[in-house]
Amino acid sequence: MAPRSRQRRHKKPPSSVTPMVVTPPTVVTSVPLTLSKPDPSIDALGFFSLDNNVPGLSQLILQKLNMKSYEEYKLVLDGGASVSGFGFGCLQEMFQKMEDTFRFCAHCRALPSGLSDSKVLRQCKRCRNVYYCGPECQRSDWPEHRKVCQELRLVAVDRLMEWLLVTGAFVLPSGPWPCLAEVVQGWDTWFSMRCLQLDATLDAVLGSHAMTTLWANVGRPKPDPDALQGSLKRLLTDALSRPLTLGLGLRALGIDVGKTGGSTVHVVGASHVETFLTRPGDYDELGYMFPGHLGLCVIMVGIDVSAGFTQSTSTPPLEPGTVQLSGHRGLYHDFWEEQVETGQIAHPDLVVAFHPGFHASPDLMEAWLPTLLLLRDYEIPTLITVYSHQELAASLQILVDLDTHITAYGANPFASLKPEEVYSNPNKQPVYCNAYYIMFLGRSCQLDKKQLEEKVDGEV
């Protein structure tokens, strides 16, 4: 059995570790919040933390999506209600309402409802991504906005182009790799390897009816073909970043994917981001990374796993050369005791946490503590990803305080290339999914705090 007493009663990291707030699409921050669940939900914390920077923004989002409460919003993310149930009369209305959720003054944080009749929010003409209530706010904000304006121009295009992924009009390129996995060291070599197939795929999407329909309904000029192709490539890296990061972990930690019975990866702390629109074939690229593998089972575990993705019973036997996806809704240490220790689910060869965010909130740290101690005490190879160098430093410090043996960390060669706007504070520097990774195995970190600080400061 798991050493529960040690897991549950372990002291929290010292207060010298200063909590930070890193706000990708799902914002994570410490917010006093009454939830219907007994455990903190990263989705709920993120949603309500929007009001920290822009009071009333969460209600504006619900209003524009034709929803009455967060519970209704969460039901859609869980897969318990159809997206089509939002009640939009046409695509043009849908795109307009979604864009309206970004309408607030980037400088004074005023919402449309707080403006006088003589004022109206207007977009920055350069990035078409942020809004201002008047020339004074725009001029005052320019010294900060100019630092991110060009990147936010990409954000504005990408969030519209994502519709093609949701509808299935943009199908990811797939098929065996024509070269050895060791040669593919990052996106440059990946794009070079997939060159011919990728060009055909992108050309087909650019000329598709779905692309025409998209730009006929969004209410803004269609960018030139090069800009659209660039957006499709960024979206592609965003979709493939997770499976290829899993592959990075398997390779770097020396996991034998050729063992009899196949290999198992647990993705812990999984939420709607990993599960809402994930299709069975989305992780095929992980299989192509390891030709000759005897089966790869990827199990998503988390309290925010979409309902339609969950599976509580044991998975069927793995077939050689296949990648099997399933999910379980719940906390990982409970899943371990109920499923792994009873033999219903295979012991993991690797555990991965995409953006756990435990550095950002005492509530989330408390929820993550039993899992982190379990992974440490059972010496399970573990990989964690973070959004920024600042978050890397904070997360490393916490893991050092927990006496984990950190084996490697650094910039992820398969980080997403799609910039992520800080929703309620758009002038913050955009972040990138899986930008950095941390790997640890068991106890006794080899770095003391001073050494760690020196190495992290030298990373970037």
Side-chain angles (χ1 to χ4, degrees):
M1 293 292 290
R4 291 180 64 96
S5 60
R6 290 170 63 197
Q7 292 171 13
R8 308 287 186 180
R9 298 173 188 170
H10 197 287
K11 293 181 180 179
K12 294 182 182 180
S15 58
S16 60
V17 180
T18 304
M20 302 181 200
V21 178
V22 175
T23 49
T26 299
V27 187
V28 180
T29 189
S30 178
V31 181
L33 187 63
T34 301
L35 302 176
S36 58
K37 300 178 181 179
D39 303 296
S41 160
I42 194 169
D43 282 347
L45 289 169
F47 185 84
F48 287 105
S49 70
L50 294 170
D51 286 355
N52 280 3
N53 285 320
V54 187
L57 182 57
S58 64
Q59 290 304 310
L60 175 69
I61 292 171
L62 293 176
Q63 173 194 348
K64 296 302 180 180
L65 297 181
N66 297 328
M67 295 177 177
K68 297 179 180 178
S69 66
Y70 169 76
E71 285 69 29
E72 189 175 348
Y73 171 83
K74 187 65 165 64
L75 189 63
V76 173
L77 294 182
D78 287 345
S82 171
V83 177
S84 62
F86 286 179
F88 298 125
C90 61
L91 282 177
Q92 189 172 12
E93 181 188 358
M94 181 191 75
F95 285 120
Q96 182 60 59
K97 293 282 189 180
M98 291 179 68
E99 184 61 31
D100 285 347
T101 67
F102 290 86
R103 289 182 185 272
F104 60 87
C105 180
H107 184 67
C108 72
R109 304 295 192 261
L111 293 170
S113 58
L115 300 179
S116 64
D117 293 340
S118 62
K119 283 191 173 183
V120 62
L121 290 167
R122 299 186 185 279
Q123 278 183 330
C124 167
K125 292 181 180 180
R126 296 177 180 86
C127 68
R128 293 183 174 272
N129 191 74
V130 301
Y131 291 83
Y132 295 101
C133 61
E136 289 184 7
C137 275
Q138 187 167 12
R139 281 194 297 268
S140 299
D141 200 52
W142 178 240
E144 289 302 313
H145 180 62
R146 67 186 302 174
K147 301 173 186 176
V148 294
C149 187
Q150 189 59 37
E151 274 187 280
L152 292 181
R153 185 177 184 180
L154 305 181
V155 172
V157 175
D158 291 351
R159 74 167 174 253
L160 294 172
M161 294 283 281
E162 280 186 299
W163 182 75
L164 300 173
L165 283 170
V166 173
T167 60
F170 181 20
V171 179
L172 304 179
S174 185
W177 287 13
C179 61
L180 295 175
E182 291 76 13
V183 176
V184 185
Q185 297 293 319
W187 290 121
D188 286 344
T189 47
W190 187 90
F191 277 114
S192 177
M193 174 190 70
R194 290 285 193 204
C195 181
L196 295 178
Q197 182 189 19
L198 185 59
D199 286 346
T201 299
L202 297 183
D203 286 345
V205 178
L206 289 172
S208 67
H209 176 70
M211 182 71 78
T212 302
T213 300
L214 169 65
W215 291 100
N217 286 280
V218 296
R220 56 166 291 183
K222 182 178 180 180
D224 61 56
D226 286 344
L228 295 176
Q229 187 179 77
S231 178
L232 289 174
K233 286 184 175 181
R234 292 191 297 274
L235 292 175
L236 189 152
T237 66
D238 195 59
L240 293 179
S241 176
R242 288 180 177 84
L244 293 184
T245 298
L246 292 185
L248 173 73
L250 289 169
R251 284 169 52 186
L253 289 163
I255 310 299
D256 179 15
V257 297
K259 70 174 186 177
T260 303
S263 304
T264 299
V265 178
H266 293 169
V267 176
V268 299
S271 70
H272 75 279
V273 176
E274 289 81 27
T275 58
F276 181 40
L277 295 171
T278 300
R279 302 172 179 88
D282 288 356
Y283 277 66
D284 286 353
E285 203 71 6
L286 173 62
Y288 298 133
M289 200 172 185
F290 299 96
H293 72 85
L294 297 183
L296 294 167
C297 177
V298 179
I299 304 176
M300 310 282 185
V301 184
I303 61 173
D304 289 317
V305 168
S306 296
F309 200 84
T310 58
Q311 177 177 317
S312 58
T313 57
S314 57
T315 55
L318 281 171
E319 296 183 10
T322 63
V323 179
Q324 183 185 96
L325 291 181
S326 63
H328 177 91
R329 177 175 282 189
L331 293 168
Y332 186 67
H333 56 271
D334 292 332
F335 168 79
W336 181 276
E337 294 179 356
E338 296 164 6
Q339 302 282 338
V340 179
E341 288 191 339
T342 59
Q344 295 183 60
I345 296 291
H347 191 281
D349 298 284
L350 173 69
V351 167
V352 175
F354 294 118
H355 309 294
F358 51 70
H359 71 291
S361 160
D363 287 339
L364 288 174
M365 184 62 223
E366 185 175 356
W368 269 97
L369 191 57
T371 292
L372 292 172
L373 297 179
L374 184 155
L375 297 173
R376 180 199 70 182
D377 293 344
Y378 279 96
E379 298 186 345
I380 299 169
T382 302
L383 181 149
I384 291 171
T385 68
V386 296
Y387 282 102
S388 68
H389 186 257
Q390 184 184 37
E391 185 178 347
L392 173 69
S395 301
L396 280 168
Q397 186 63 71
I398 289 172
L399 293 172
V400 166
D401 289 333
L402 293 180
D403 194 31
T404 60
H405 177 195
I406 298 170
T407 61
Y409 62 88
N412 181 5
F414 294 110
S416 169
L417 301 181
K418 181 171 81 71
E420 300 282 356
E421 175 187 347
V422 180
Y423 200 158
S424 60
N425 197 353
N427 283 331
K428 280 193 173 181
Q429 190 67 37
V431 295
Y432 296 82
C433 287
N434 305 318
Y436 296 89
Y437 66 84
I438 304 169
M439 300 182 193
F440 70 85
L441 177 61
R443 282 180 169 272
S444 300
C445 180
Q446 301 300 309
L447 300 175
D448 63 29
K449 293 182 182 180
K450 184 177 180 181
Q451 289 174 317
L452 177 67
E453 188 176 297
E454 290 172 352
K455 286 182 71 65
V456 172
D457 288 342
E459 278 288 310
V460 171

